[in-house]
Amino acid sequence: MREGGVAISTKCNFSDPREAEIAAACGFDCIWIDLEHVPASITTVGDFVRAAKNFDCDVLTRVSRGSYSDIIRPLEADSTGVMIPHLMSLEDAKKVVYYSKFYPIGRRPVDGGNSDAGYVCQDMDAYIKQANEERFVIVQIEDPEPMEELEEICALPGIDMIFFGPADYSQGIGKPFQFNCPEIAEARRRIAETARRHGKFAGTVGGVGNFAELISLGYQFVNVGADVVALQEYFSKTANQLKEIRETARG
């Protein structure tokens, strides 16, 4: 992304790290794992990171909203980035930066005894510098409330990416899953434009059908699909085909 390219990601709801290896081997740049909605654990993060590294693939962890430990533990497990869901205000964003970036940007608690610091093998000054520069902190705009402070949020040092979540945003404006409504289109455009103007990356979810459109809007990180979607589509298609063949055979 820093070279001007677009990173493609896919989401894994299940906890088998072989998923990360398959997706990475197929050419995805990033695997998104989720601690907000699914029963994964910090152990899952570490397992996925090690699996993805076999194919030089990154891991993004969406955290649960809780204590500061929920933000920093995936980073310590060597996740390339963390994504904080449902950012609601500039003040909320400042707290995220405070706990996710080391001095002089924030006050992320220091340990150094985990995978991201080579289990105390890395020089601590180099570790703090590398973590601040190379670990992505992403905030999700998926509610209408923070749009009032979007300029200030995008300008905040320590936030690396603004990620638009259209599903919950559609609920927030009273139009659940009406993804083609003007309000969604305007929010999608405005978030990308504002993020880029302040030197931040813009990310969102999409598909093959609108991938080119998202790139044209300025999005440089796009998540496409998920393991549950792939399995549902394959199982449904296969089961229906087999049922048709079975009924035809019965004559």
Side-chain angles (χ1 to χ4, degrees), residues 12-29:
C12 290
N13 277 25
F14 300 129
S15 300
D16 192 325
R18 289 176 293 183
E19 286 190 89
E21 288 190 280
I22 294 170
C26 288
F28 281 95
D29 303 306

Side-chain angles (χ1 to χ4, degrees), residues 187-230:
R188 184 182 288 114
R189 180 202 62 78
R190 185 181 164 202
I191 285 171
E193 180 183 281
T194 309
R196 294 291 293 269
R197 187 168 63 252
H198 288 281
K200 306 301 171 65
F201 295 110
T204 191
V205 293
V208 174
N210 70 341
F211 187 61
E213 176 189 357
L214 294 172
I215 293 175
S216 70
L217 288 172
Y219 285 96
Q220 285 185 263
F221 182 95
V222 182
N223 187 87
V224 178
D227 51 6
V228 289
V229 175

Side-chain angles (χ1 to χ4, degrees), residues 140-157:
Q140 278 194 279
I141 303 294
E142 45 187 344
D143 301 275
E145 287 86 350
M147 294 295 282
E148 295 182 6
E149 298 179 295
L150 183 62
E151 288 282 351
E152 293 84 357
I153 292 170
C154 290
L156 186 66

Side-chain angles (χ1 to χ4, degrees), residues 70-171:
D70 292 294
I71 296 177
I72 67 170
R73 290 179 73 201
L75 293 171
E76 292 174 336
D78 215 14
S79 178
T80 310
V82 289
M83 182 157 65
I84 290 78
H86 291 285
L87 189 86
M88 298 303 289
S89 66
L90 174 62
E91 190 60 32
D92 195 10
K94 289 179 179 179
K95 291 179 181 178
V96 168
V97 172
Y98 184 84
Y99 287 124
S100 61
K101 294 288 187 180
F102 290 121
Y103 174 87
I105 303 171
R107 291 278 297 278
R108 173 182 160 184
V110 179
D111 186 282
N114 296 293
S115 179
D116 67 327
Y119 301 103
V120 303
C121 291
Q122 188 174 358
D123 173 79
M124 290 304 291
D125 288 333
Y127 165 55
I128 288 175
K129 183 176 185 295
Q130 184 267 351
N132 278 351
E133 293 176 353
E134 301 296 332
R135 304 294 165 164
F136 278 72
V137 174
I138 304 168
V139 294
Q140 278 194 279
I141 303 294
E142 45 187 344
D143 301 275
E145 287 86 350
M147 294 295 282
E148 295 182 6
E149 298 179 295
L150 183 62
E151 288 282 351
E152 293 84 357
I153 292 170
C154 290
L156 186 66
I159 299 295
D160 301 298
M161 183 187 297
I162 312 297
F163 191 101
F164 177 51
D168 277 322
Y169 195 92
S170 71
Q171 287 195 97

